[in-house]
Amino acid sequence: MYPSLTRFPGELFADFDGLQRQVEQLLGLRGAPSSIRAGTRGAFPALNVGTTEAAIEIYAFAPGLDPAKIAVDVDNGVLTLSGERPAEVPAADAKLSVYAQERFAGTFKRVLSLPEDADSAGVAATYRDGVLRISIPRRAPARPKRIAVQ
């Protein structure tokens, strides 16, 4: 059946959304970061970063990795996550055809700048169920102190 006969006027916004996606793709804006500190969409591993009063919490979503092969380094206020995810699909040959491969494979490295109050001496990292949790304690803020004059 002809597309014009099966469409309803309520699909007007869907048409505008499709047009906006096409323009963003042409201009290279598709997959822009969600914030100024965020990486682009598709970066591996995907990160959630937040703070509490006591710590900076980072969650890296990296299923299928060997925790012993994940490197977490902190140096001069910069956190670096690196490692390698092996390819699960065998190399293409005459007997195998790969039609789609959406899962990231290969070496990765993510770099984050940490706030000034991050205490790099107490960093803790745990890996469970494909999620790497990194907790960085925050230093107590400097408070005014009264000095007794002798």
Side-chain angles (χ1 to χ4, degrees):
M1 191 170 237
Y2 297 105
S4 62
L5 297 176
T6 60
R7 289 189 156 194
F8 296 104
E11 293 181 356
L12 180 64
F13 293 111
D15 290 341
F16 281 126
D17 185 49
L19 179 63
Q20 181 180 5
R21 276 187 271 130
Q22 289 176 356
V23 169
E24 287 176 352
Q25 189 173 15
L26 288 172
L27 296 176
L29 301 175
R30 197 82 179 131
S34 61
S35 75
I36 194 167
R37 289 187 173 197
T40 58
R41 291 200 182 279
F44 183 84
L47 302 176
N48 282 354
V49 181
T51 60
T52 64
E53 289 183 19
I56 299 148
E57 300 287 336
I58 301 164
Y59 293 89
F61 301 97
L65 294 181
D66 180 9
K69 294 185 179 181
I70 301 172
V72 179
D73 301 307
V74 179
D75 186 31
N76 291 331
V78 176
L79 173 78
T80 305
L81 297 173
S82 58
E84 183 175 2
R85 178 186 229 174
E88 304 259 332
V89 178
D93 59 11
K95 296 180 183 178
L96 174 70
S97 295
V98 178
Y99 293 102
Q101 185 173 357
E102 296 180 356
R103 187 172 181 181
F104 172 82
T107 59
F108 63 88
K109 185 175 190 178
R110 294 291 307 262
V111 179
L112 291 153
S113 60
L114 298 173
E116 289 182 18
D117 64 346
D119 184 9
S120 61
V123 178
T126 57
Y127 183 81
R128 183 175 163 211
D129 296 332
V131 179
L132 174 66
R133 179 179 179 255
I134 302 167
S135 182
I136 305 166
R138 298 173 88 174
R139 289 188 207 107
R143 294 190 175 138
K145 186 170 146 184
R146 182 166 293 245
I147 307 297
V149 179
Q150 306 267 341

